[in-house]
Amino acid sequence: LHPVILFYNIFLKIYFGVIKLAGTWNPKARRWANGRKNWQRQLQQQFQPHKNKQTVWMHCASLGEFEQGRPILQKIKTQFPDCNIVVTFFSPSGYEIRKNYTGADVVMYLPEDSQKNAAAFLNIVQPTLAIFVKYEFWHYYLSELNKQKIETILVSGIFRNSQPFFKWWGGFHKNMLLNFSRLFVQNQSSASLLASINIQKNVTVCGDTRFDRVLETAEQWQPIAAIESFIQPHKKILVAGSTWKKDEQLLAPWLEQHKNDWQLIIAPHEVDDEHIQQLQQCFSNAILFSQLTTNDLILSAYDCLLINSIGQLSKLYKYATVCYVGGGFNKSGHHNILEAAVYGKAVITGPNFQKFKESVDLKSYGGSFTVSHADAFAQTIKEINFETSGKIAAAYVQQQSGATQSIMNYIQEKRLLTNA
């Protein structure tokens, strides 16, 4: 074995071993490990490829990447209705929420990356086309796809100078990229970085499929009666989505000072009982979403609504005067601001926004704003022209759409899913 491959194998053994060990006390790690047990037998029971049917395999790290890839799956299903679709996830937070997705024939965890697993997985699934969304590069899966001459594409790829591919020691990582038939990237700077390591012939700049996804969601919007019963017509509404503790600590004092004019709807990133109880202490005059169906409550007595279930957020932003998107105090950066921007809403986030092209763009155009402490948040809300910034945000989303169609054009031109 080449020393780098040997090192990679050791790294994987330690990495997966630590997750399994953590499963003894951490529920998320336990789901990760348990979800991969007996995967081969379960997959064979669920899925038998048909010799007259093409199969598409899409791999997503987690929920956000699935939502990015989803417009492509929907277009494939519309244009090639006989096509089988297999979706894999790395993370439990993606799998648990989308395991019942009806647009796929199989939804499962991606088995651990190894030569044996990659060969066994591909031999069962027999994909005609493999789609990786945004990132997650696994050496053995990509090598096996290349070996079996299976068309493999990356969609909504985004690359940064700090990644291993562009370092002097990054040859192993660069080789993984060479296994892709086509790399669809979000922006020109990603294409330029790839060109700097001599990957350019098979690169297409076509934007981010998330724009198509949020436009689709907005077009299908339906009112939520329970939310409308909470909203008081004479008050402005702040919708705070995917919040973490630091975001919530920022919002609580502001609401206390502005509750005569504003109501807060907060959909936290974690909705477990412990976190909801913490939020109830933080926002003392709050009602839970699950309580809204109780008819004898006087809803005007509450100034904060806590969403204690998942799946509501992308609809909630529509009700906002202005939106706050959480996660911007975390190193990984804030959550998806496009879900709010698509409805023509100004967006506020915490300070870590630089990783996201749409956030950098919208901030420069005046459609989004960043704050690093409570006083800055209060001042920013006071200064925003909600209507002007909202129009900028909506126009930006419209202008950036169309990546899904570019990818579909490629699939059709190469006749990847057309039976010969």
Side-chain angles (χ1 to χ4, degrees):
L1 272 184
H2 190 281
V4 178
I5 303 290
L6 189 62
F7 178 79
Y8 180 72
N9 289 344
I10 294 165
F11 164 76
L12 288 183
K13 277 214 168 4
I14 295 167
Y15 179 63
F16 295 138
V18 167
I19 295 177
K20 285 169 188 171
L21 180 65
T24 55
W25 70 85
N26 181 302
K28 192 173 177 181
R30 195 176 310 125
R31 286 195 294 270
W32 188 99
N34 290 343
R36 288 169 164 81
K37 283 180 181 168
N38 303 318
W39 70 264
Q40 212 165 320
R41 194 177 73 233
Q42 287 178 24
L43 179 58
Q44 280 167 329
Q45 285 169 355
Q46 284 179 48
F47 187 73
Q48 280 88 35
H50 194 284
K51 65 173 193 274
N52 295 325
K53 279 187 174 185
Q54 311 283 17
T55 298
V56 173
W57 164 38
M58 177 177 278
H59 176 64
C60 318
S62 191
L63 185 61
E65 291 71 40
F66 172 77
E67 293 301 329
Q68 254 171 322
R70 189 169 172 163
I72 301 165
L73 290 186
Q74 288 171 334
K75 276 268 197 299
I76 287 171
K77 262 300 187 200
T78 304
Q79 291 178 25
F80 307 99
D82 287 342
C83 193
N84 291 314
I85 290 177
V86 173
V87 174
T88 57
F89 284 99
F90 181 75
S91 149
S93 51
Y95 173 78
E96 292 298 332
I97 293 171
R98 289 290 174 256
K99 60 186 174 189
N100 299 319
Y101 173 61
T102 54
D105 298 271
V106 176
V107 180
M108 63 180 283
Y109 283 103
L110 181 74
E112 294 169 29
D113 191 30
S114 71
Q115 200 163 16
K116 189 178 156 192
N117 282 352
F121 176 82
L122 292 177
N123 288 339
I124 299 168
V125 174
Q126 294 177 28
T128 318
L129 170 65
I131 304 172
F132 284 66
V133 184
K134 195 176 179 182
Y135 57 86
E136 281 250 313
F137 306 104
W138 296 105
H139 165 74
Y140 287 111
Y141 281 99
L142 289 168
S143 301
E144 191 63 29
L145 284 162
N146 188 17
K147 188 169 133 192
Q148 294 192 23
K149 297 189 167 46
I150 295 164
E151 187 81 20
T152 305
I153 64 174
L154 178 73
V155 300
S156 293
I158 191 154
F159 292 92
R160 290 185 303 278
N161 208 15
S162 57
Q163 290 171 308
F165 315 107
F166 312 108
K167 305 294 184 193
W168 63 267
W169 44 266
F172 174 71
H173 294 83
K174 177 190 164 180
N175 285 340
M176 284 199 258
L177 296 182
L178 296 174
N179 291 310
F180 284 93
S181 322
R182 174 72 43 176
L183 298 153
F184 290 96
V185 297
Q186 292 186 27
N187 53 19
Q188 189 52 53
S189 65
S190 292
S192 302
L193 277 169
L194 290 169
S196 75
I197 55 169
N198 293 323
I199 298 176
Q200 57 211 83
K201 284 180 186 162
N202 61 340
V203 176
T204 303
V205 179
C206 74
D208 186 349
T209 51
R210 278 183 312 156
F211 290 95
D212 304 317
R213 175 65 190 144
V214 295
L215 281 163
E216 213 171 68
T217 305
E219 280 162 20
Q220 293 162 358
W221 185 84
Q222 297 281 325
I224 308 167
I227 301 292
E228 294 186 357
S229 69
F230 169 77
I231 288 170
Q232 295 173 47
H234 62 285
K235 288 191 175 181
K236 298 190 198 77
I237 308 292
L238 172 67
V239 174
S242 301
T243 57
W244 294 73
K245 196 173 179 182
K246 279 200 173 173
D247 304 303
E248 291 144 11
Q249 288 168 342
L250 187 91
L251 298 168
W254 174 84
L255 182 63
E256 190 54 43
Q257 289 177 351
H258 295 87
K259 59 189 176 187
N260 293 336
D261 305 309
W262 286 82
Q263 286 180 292
L264 172 65
I265 299 174
I266 185 164
H269 182 66
E270 302 283 356
V271 293
D272 56 277
D273 292 344
E274 190 186 343
H275 190 205
I276 294 298
Q277 283 164 12
Q278 286 170 0
L279 282 170
Q280 286 176 302
Q281 288 168 357
C282 199
F283 300 92
S284 54
N285 194 24
I287 184 170
L288 298 178
F289 179 69
S290 58
Q291 294 174 314
L292 288 180
T293 48
T294 313
N295 295 327
D296 56 353
L297 289 169
I298 300 163
L299 295 179
S300 57
Y302 300 94
D303 48 50
C304 178
L305 173 62
L306 300 177
I307 308 295
N308 57 337
S309 59
I310 49 176
Q312 306 287 350
L313 183 57
S314 61
K315 295 178 195 162
L316 291 176
Y317 287 129
K318 171 94 165 170
Y319 291 109
T321 309
V322 62
C323 298
Y324 180 92
V325 175
F329 287 93
N330 300 345
K331 209 164 81 173
S332 53
H334 60 67
H335 293 275
N336 188 355
I337 65 170
L338 299 178
E339 290 181 331
V342 71
Y343 294 114
K345 309 295 177 183
V347 184
I348 304 171
T349 73
N352 292 340
F353 70 98
Q354 298 84 350
K355 272 187 182 179
F356 307 101
K357 178 185 184 293
E358 68 275 13
S359 207
V360 173
D361 288 350
L362 268 180
K363 190 172 162 68
S364 69
Y365 300 148
S368 80
F369 306 84
T370 54
V371 296
S372 51
H373 52 80
D375 290 345
F377 176 72
Q379 192 59 33
T380 300
I381 280 214
K382 211 181 282 180
E383 290 171 1
I384 293 174
N385 182 320
F386 303 124
E387 195 180 341
T388 305
S389 293
K391 281 180 178 167
I392 289 167
Y396 174 75
V397 175
Q398 285 287 350
Q399 287 156 9
Q400 299 293 320
S401 63
T404 304
Q405 196 49 56
S406 297
I407 294 158
M408 288 309 295
N409 290 346
Y410 173 81
I411 289 169
Q412 285 159 336
E413 281 162 20
K414 292 208 79 175
R415 300 181 67 78
L416 296 177
L417 303 176
T418 309
N419 285 320

